[in-house]
Amino acid sequence: MNQARLAAARQRQAEAQHAEAITIAQQIQEGAEQLAAQQLIEQSSWQILRAADDRYMSLDITGFAEAIRWASTLKPGNPLFSEAQMRIRRWRQEWAANQQHWEIADQARREGNLPLAEQATQRISPHPFWRGHRSTLLAQISVDHERYNHFYQLARQASQEKRMDLAAQWVNQLPNYAPWASRKIALQQQIAADLMTSQPALGLC
């Protein structure tokens, strides 16, 4: 009986059906085949973990869930159960941290807080899936810097041309965050001062 089970387990292992191979080998609890069964279980368990590692490091968003599912097939009593649980915890922690950094960066960018957006983006780990999101965010932040600089230059030009209403419209497009906040305030003060000096003096009747 044990010989037949061991042969079946080896066949499943050869077919890369490692979870099934482990299930069959675990039924061998005694006899001359027990040591060979234990070795097979450990070998197939490592194969499952390697495959789970590969799925976790994939570009596909489904790789995270599949890696967890595959590693979770190693149950208590398996020689690599603790190793599998450690990897699952590490994957979940990294994924949650990356998700949080991405959400902070995306929200900050939308609000014009580009320094915070850059800081949060740089904290995203180089995991293949998140690396793409990180690159996209950094590209968007770069575009935002250029856009705000363009608004600032248009506001300055309109102010120099004494087109104060237009200058005010452009300066109001600047965010209230560094490095634009101080420049925005300075331009607003300049526009206000120019408006004051452009008003005709009121004579006394």
Side-chain angles (χ1 to χ4, degrees):
M1 178 66 72
N2 283 344
Q3 289 181 348
R5 287 172 176 167
L6 183 59
R10 284 173 171 166
Q11 180 63 35
R12 296 295 187 277
Q13 187 182 57
E15 297 169 351
Q17 301 295 323
H18 295 290
E20 293 183 19
I22 290 171
T23 298
I24 296 171
Q26 285 174 334
Q27 298 174 27
I28 304 173
Q29 299 293 328
E30 59 183 13
E33 294 80 12
Q34 186 178 9
L35 179 59
Q38 291 173 345
Q39 292 174 340
L40 184 149
I41 290 170
E42 185 168 351
Q43 291 168 356
S44 283
S45 297
W46 275 119
Q47 289 296 327
I48 289 173
L49 282 186
R50 292 189 189 100
D53 274 332
D54 289 343
R55 286 303 294 138
Y56 176 70
M57 295 302 293
S58 70
L59 289 167
D60 187 354
I61 190 173
T62 62
F64 170 63
E66 288 184 355
I68 299 292
R69 180 167 57 83
W70 291 0
S72 295
T73 62
L74 305 187
K75 305 299 184 182
N78 186 291
L80 297 184
F81 173 74
S82 296
E83 176 69 23
Q85 293 301 306
M86 181 185 68
R87 295 189 188 203
I88 290 171
R89 286 193 298 270
R90 186 176 71 243
W91 295 337
R92 283 174 172 163
Q93 288 170 358
E94 182 182 25
W95 199 271
N98 282 338
Q99 181 73 37
Q100 182 181 44
H101 294 324
W102 183 86
E103 290 175 355
I104 291 172
D106 185 61
Q107 182 65 29
R109 188 191 68 81
R110 293 176 187 278
E111 294 174 355
N113 191 347
L114 301 188
L116 177 59
E118 288 178 328
Q119 183 184 59
T121 301
Q122 294 294 349
R123 290 178 176 172
I124 297 174
S125 76
H127 180 283
F129 173 80
W130 289 103
R131 186 166 57 230
H133 286 65
R134 176 179 175 176
S135 298
T136 298
L137 272 174
L138 289 174
Q140 291 172 335
I141 291 169
S142 178
V143 170
D144 289 342
H145 273 301
E146 294 177 3
R147 181 163 57 93
Y148 291 137
N149 184 61
H150 183 58
F151 292 162
Y152 175 71
Q153 296 301 331
L154 289 173
R156 285 189 62 190
Q157 181 179 348
S159 176
Q160 291 169 357
E161 295 171 354
K162 305 304 180 183
R163 302 166 66 189
M164 299 309 169
D165 289 344
L166 182 59
Q169 291 178 21
W170 286 120
V171 80
N172 286 335
Q173 298 296 315
L174 297 175
N176 296 317
Y177 298 98
W180 306 106
S182 59
R183 302 177 193 180
K184 181 177 183 178
I185 292 172
L187 270 176
Q188 287 173 331
Q189 291 174 342
Q190 180 182 338
I191 291 169
D194 288 344
L195 285 172
M196 288 292 293
T197 57
S198 66
Q199 296 294 328
L202 297 177
L204 296 176
C205 299

